[in-house]
Amino acid sequence: MSKTLVIYFSHEGENYNVGTVEVGNTELLAKEIVAKTSADEFKIVPENNYPGTYQETIEVASAEQKSSARPKYIGDVDITNYDTIFFGYPIWWEDLPMVVYSFIEKHNFSGKVVMPFNTHEGSGNAGTNETLKSLMPGAILKGDGFNMTGSIARTEEGIKKINNWLDGLREFIV
Ligand SMILES: Cc1cc2nc3c(=O)[nH]c(=O)nc-3n(C[C@H](O)[C@H](O)[C@H](O)COP(=O)(O)O)c2cc1C
């Protein structure tokens, strides 16, 4: 069994700059990491999934952020079995999506090597690497909060970039 786990949230449907997609931008990166590391994976899927249209999704996400909602998600994963965790998410309203907070708050990342990655459309990691540091006390964060424009994640250039990032982290992949 692998000691490396890829955890991610990603939204399929209509999204900014990419039209309507069956596989989200962050998920494409997550799948590339899984393919290149043979890691296990867990996708955070909200019980009430987000609407198909971009406009509706940003409205729901904004309301959730304003109320500090903690949306429930389907299933779970026992992270105690893993030493190294890739942690992927899109930037939503300059922050982690609220369902990502739901996941983090239910788990203890202390002692784990955590390598955050995200996609966005201009905000970079929007300070979320720092947010993760405070939400995951005792975790050892590596990889400098890797971030990529979502539409680039769908191109060969994006896949090349995530592989370059991965290559620099090989010593932590177990
Ligand atoms: C609800 C919502 C809020 C977003 N807020 C931001 C933002 O604040 N900054 C930004 O750069 N991109 C923002 N985006 C764009 C996404 O971060 C970007 O499209 C990302 O690649 C989506 O990843 P996914 O396909 O894995 O869900 C937002 C998108 C959505 C749906």
Side-chain angles (χ1 to χ4, degrees):
M1 190 185 132
S2 177
K3 289 281 186 189
T4 300
L5 175 66
V6 181
I7 299 169
Y8 65 98
F9 168 69
S10 181
H11 174 59
E12 49 279 324
E14 187 192 3
N15 210 342
Y16 190 79
N17 231 358
V18 295
T20 299
V21 295
E22 276 178 28
V23 180
N25 304 331
T26 311
E27 179 158 1
L28 287 177
L29 299 186
K31 293 287 186 198
E32 182 66 15
I33 297 171
V34 168
K36 294 293 167 64
T37 61
S38 305
D40 292 341
E41 64 182 296
F42 180 77
K43 180 178 180 183
I44 303 169
V45 179
E47 275 186 15
N48 287 328
N49 216 341
Y50 292 94
T53 72
Y54 175 65
Q55 192 54 37
E56 286 171 303
T57 303
I58 60 170
E59 283 164 18
V60 173
S62 171
E64 284 182 354
Q65 190 184 54
K66 285 190 179 119
S67 64
S68 297
R70 292 293 182 265
K72 291 194 173 138
Y73 55 90
I74 299 170
D76 215 339
V77 60
D78 181 3
I79 70 168
T80 57
N81 296 323
Y82 297 94
D83 298 331
T84 295
I85 297 174
F86 288 92
F87 196 84
Y89 53 91
I91 298 298
W92 277 14
W93 293 111
E94 299 284 323
D95 198 355
L96 305 164
M98 293 299 116
V99 72
V100 173
Y101 280 87
S102 305
F103 183 92
I104 295 169
E105 288 170 2
K106 280 179 101 180
H107 295 85
N108 178 6
F109 288 83
S110 180
K112 314 278 179 206
V113 171
V114 178
M115 302 187 278
F117 62 98
N118 74 266
T119 66
H120 63 91
E121 282 294 339
S123 298
N125 70 39
T128 54
N129 206 40
E130 295 305 313
T131 307
L132 290 175
K133 269 183 204 160
S134 62
L135 291 173
M136 298 175 170
I140 305 143
L141 266 72
K142 298 283 177 191
D144 298 324
F146 180 82
N147 60 88
M148 188 187 293
T149 305
S151 47
I152 293 183
R154 313 194 73 82
T155 66
E156 241 173 70
E157 179 194 345
I159 296 305
K160 217 179 258 175
K161 279 189 177 160
I162 189 91
N163 275 288
N164 286 343
W165 179 66
L166 266 184
D167 286 344
L169 296 168
R170 285 278 161 202
E171 66 185 290
F172 304 111
I173 301 170
V174 284

